[in-house]
Amino acid sequence: MAGSVEATESANALFAYIDGWYNSQRIQKKLGWRSPDEFEASYHQPVPAGTR
């Protein structure tokens, strides 16, 4: 039984790493070589009138 608890904790730790750091920090080609965090931050910035 102890082995399954360790396996569950390991799986949770791996998911937390991938979801919490790796996916948000990793640069991606589809986002213009920016991380998802950088892309989202630039998406929500106001655009000055007349620039689009």
Side-chain angles (χ1 to χ4, degrees), residues 3-52:
S4 65
V5 171
E6 290 174 3
T8 301
E9 290 175 358
S10 296
N12 288 339
L14 180 60
F15 176 78
Y17 167 75
I18 291 171
D19 191 52
W21 184 86
Y22 183 74
N23 282 341
S24 64
Q25 299 295 319
R26 177 174 65 106
I27 62 169
Q28 298 181 17
K29 183 178 180 180
K30 289 183 179 182
L31 302 179
W33 298 109
R34 294 177 286 175
S35 72
D37 288 346
E38 292 171 329
F39 180 80
E40 187 172 340
S42 68
Y43 179 82
H44 292 291
Q45 289 181 353
V47 177
T51 58
R52 282 195 179 174

